[in-house]
Structures are given as structure tokens and as C-alpha cells.
Amino acid sequence: MSYQEHITKLTHLIQSKNGTWDGINAESVERMRLQNRFHTGLDIAKYTAGIMRADMAAYDADPANYTQSLGAWHGFIAQQQMISIKKHFGATKRRYIYLSGWMVAALRSDFGPLPDQSMHEKTSVPALIEEIYTFLRQADARELGLLFRDLDAARAAGDLAKQKQVQAKIDNFETHVVPIIADIDAGFGNAEATYLLAKKMIEAGACALQIENQVSDEKQCGHQDGKVTVPHEDFIAKVRACRYAFMELGVENGIIVTRTDSLGAGLTKQIAVSHTPGDLGDQYNAFLDCEEVAPGDARNGDVIINRNGKLLRPKRLPSNLFQFRAGTGEDRCVLDSITSLQNGADLLWIETEKPHVEQIAGMMDRIRAVVPNAKLVYNNSPSFNWTLNFRQQVYDAMQAEGKDVSAYDRAKLMSVDYDATELGVRADEKIRTFQADASKRAGIFHHLITLPTYHTAALSTDNLAKEYFGAAGMLGYVLNVQRQEIRQGIACVKHQNMSGSDIGDDHKEYFAGEAALKAGGAHNTMNQFAA
């Protein structure tokens, strides 16, 4: 039903109470209902899962329909992203939010800043999901509140055309609530612990859970050394635990993203259980770095594997970990990916050491030979030096083309001296088109940057501190912050409105009528920004 139809229905309800509800205004109720579309996190998870599934189908039809997100470490940051997207592009279509375990560890733990090693409180992840959606729902309420004010002004002016225009915007309002891909790390324990945490995250609103195949108590950031993977059966149990959580809560189309760190992980804590030659356990163990031993050569405490009649001793490190053979990372990564998709995963995440389209595509070609519609979530990581990586790629390409590259020092291509050169310009263009190119060639459905707002917060704060505490003084804030907010139409310049002051005034008027003491009167200094 339309806005006016809902009001008519509510009017009939109020009238049916024989005068006892006459103090309730039907239009005010409808406004409050529109401003609070989602009543629970499960409502959000079901709604956003539908969006992701539709986007996945659209990508399968045309890889130009890839999706994107930026990582957010606070509800306000996520809110401002979506307000900005709606302002600049008119819609939130194919734009999501990423919730990074790295940023939770670094910024949201009661222990203080922590490395990305699953040491933070696991409940801080669902708490952040809930916080993000609280801020996104508030963005809905704020924008709708502004539309309601426009509608009231049009009515007061007797402008019927304007009334119709504003009502159409209300009827076709697009929410700021979008899918969150949420990092559950390695599950924070065994499969039961994974299931319990997954439930909390889904109940908070997450429609997509990203889980990695590392050992929970040895978990490392995907871009650090020392990663330790687990056998497939252990990981599959956690994938199933996530699916059970989705299904128990009625989110049957929830999305599971399985991340493999095998490309850069050379260690395992366990020898996989194998019952028959060629089973998953045997395939996992086949990558172990082993040495053949005779029965009499076995040492006390040795672990021995029998393969094809040969006795093999996996090399065990002083840390009690076993190592894989060098150069097997890609093969293990491909096997991990195929196995995940064959056991309930919806999307893959392959962590690479550099952003290189053909490297990613080489693995995806092998995966898609077995699972044709395999799709990737890819981390456009700030851990990559994008400028240096792509300048080196262009350097190598120019050299292969037979061009003279003697003017460039490959090891020092980060230098500002190369910014305006042919090499620098070509590299920047490859960075600009990387997402579209990789989505078309390498099966990347979703591009995200894990930690962008961590870096933007640091950069903008550094620039402000340098100016404000220096010779510029207050001009450092006015020139580089407030004046830019006003001229660029940044919603937060009216920070009282952004924080919900006008929404509160509306409610006061609903509840108390003319007796309401409102904050948005003539003496509110925010009126200086009305123009």
C-alpha cells in the first residue's frame, strides 16, 4: 500500500477504539513505522540475503554486475558510507559493507589494540553488526524525516504538485540497510563454538559469514606469516555449523564465504584422518613434506604415514607443527576451494600476496573446471602496495613489449618521479580498472577493501592535527573540514540533525502536541547551515 493508503487504514483502526485513541495521529504512526522498517536483526538478515542472492545471479549473467564494499569499524562510519553512496549514485545497488575482524581486533576490543589473531572478544563482532544496523536504520529515519518536513511544507504552501512529488519519494524510498559480509575468523573454537557465534551474528543481522580454514588458536592475519591450516573435514564441520545456524533461524538463503589461506600457509597442526587412498584426508596429507623411512629407522615419537606401501615420516618442526612441501600452495588452494564449494560454501575468498589478475584467474580457471559458477570475494587489501605492484607489472609488460625501460629503476618505482611518466599513467589506469578486469577474467563477484576507514581516519586526523595545532589554528579546521562539508553537501555539517535531534523533536510533537519543548527552534545554531 501507498503512504496515504496506510494512513487511511490506521485512521480506521484508531476510530474503532471508541474515542480512547483519539490522541493518536494516524499519519504520525505511519511515519514512525516507515522510519523503523526492520524490527529485528533477523528481518535484516532475511532481507539482505535476498539482495545478495539476486546480485549473485545478476553477476552469473554478466560479470560487469560485480559488487563492492568498504570495511567499517563503527556504525557511524558505515552510515556515512551509505549516505554518501545514495547522495552520489542515487541508489545502494550492489554496494555492501564489510565487517573486518582485523579492525574489530585493532579498534573494538576491551583489551586495547590487538593483532588479527582472534584474541579479541568474539561477542564484539555481533555487537558491531548490531551497531552498524542501528546507525543504518537511523539514516533511514533521518532521510524520511526530511521528506516528511518537505511534505508538510508543500501542504502549507498549497503546492499539490510538490506534495505528489514528495509522496512518490516516500512511497519509493530506498533503505540504507545493505548486506554485511561479516568476518567470523576461524570460528573462535570448535564447530559448536562456531555455530553459537554464527547464530549471534545472524541474529544481529548478518546475511553473509566469512570463515577461514586456519587453526582457531593459531589464527593469523591472511597477510602475515605463520599461518596454520586445518584438514578439510575439520573446516567442513565449521561450514556445516554456519549453515545449521542459518537454517535454524529461518535464513535459508544465508551466504557462507569460505576463505583459504593455503596459498601463503605452509604449516598444519594436524595429520588428516584418511580411510582410503585418494580420500580428502589422503589428498591433504599428500602435500606434506615427508621423507621415506625403513621400519627400523623410526624414532621414538615419530608420526609415520603409510602410502602405497611406503612408510613416510612428515617433517615436524620444533613448534610441533608439520610443514607442507614448498611450491604446493596453489594446488592446496584450488583443492580447498573446490572442496568448500562441494560442501556448502556459496562464495570463495582466496588470499593472495599481490593483486594480479592472471594469478587469481589461473586458480579460478582450475576451480571453475570443476564448479563452473564458482565466484570469489576478493580482498583489495591495503596490505598490498598497489602503486609499486602495478608499476612493476607495467614495467615487466613494457619490457616484454620490447620498449626501452632504462629510465626506470624497477626496485624504486614507488618514487613520485614516476607519477607523470608513461609507466606511472599506465599503472594507474590498471589500478582503476582492476575490479572490472578481475571480475570479468577471474570470477570475482565481490570486491572489498578490508581496512580503508582505519587508514582514512588516521590520514584525515593527521592532516587536521597538523593544521589546527600549527600556524593555521582554527582556520585549519574551517578551511579543510567545515567549509568543505558545506560546499560538498556533507550531511554531517548539520551534526545535530545527523545525531537524531530532529527525529526527537518530531516524537515530542507526536506525544505532547503544542506542549512539546523542541530543540530545533529559532535559536538552534544549526540554522546557520540552512542555506
Side-chain angles (χ1 to χ4, degrees), residues 116-160:
D116 184 19
Q117 296 171 357
S118 290
M119 294 189 291
H120 55 281
E121 309 88 339
K122 61 184 179 181
T123 52
S124 59
V125 180
L128 179 54
I129 296 169
E130 183 176 4
E131 176 184 291
I132 288 173
Y133 281 127
T134 297
F135 273 80
L136 295 183
R137 290 162 65 200
Q138 194 263 3
D140 282 359
R142 171 190 167 273
E143 187 174 323
L144 282 163
L146 294 173
L147 288 173
F148 298 150
R149 280 172 162 71
D150 289 345
L151 182 60
D152 291 341
R155 285 174 178 167
D159 189 339
L160 295 177

Side-chain angles (χ1 to χ4, degrees), residues 237-314:
K238 292 187 176 183
V239 173
R240 290 194 192 110
C242 291
R243 182 63 66 200
Y244 271 106
F246 272 124
M247 295 185 74
E248 177 185 342
L249 295 172
V251 189
E252 288 87 356
N253 58 350
I255 291 94
I256 298 173
V257 182
T258 52
R259 184 182 114 183
T260 172
D261 284 299
S262 296
L263 191 64
L267 303 170
T268 184
K269 200 171 188 176
Q270 299 167 255
I271 304 296
V273 175
S274 174
H275 300 290
T276 58
D279 64 12
L280 269 179
D282 190 42
Q283 291 180 69
Y284 187 81
N285 294 338
F287 293 113
L288 291 169
D289 191 0
C290 300
E291 55 186 351
E292 187 175 351
V293 295
D297 294 335
R299 300 187 294 257
N300 185 58
D302 270 353
V303 173
I304 303 294
I305 295 175
N306 181 354
R307 180 178 296 124
N308 299 324
K310 295 181 179 180
L311 298 181
L312 303 174
R313 177 168 55 207

Side-chain angles (χ1 to χ4, degrees), residues 6 45 62 79 168 174 200 242 253 269 309 400 429 432 527:
H6 276 289
D62 183 354
Q79 178 197 66
E174 183 186 70
K200 287 289 186 185
C242 291
N253 58 350
K269 200 171 188 176
E429 180 61 12
R432 187 186 71 81
N527 293 329

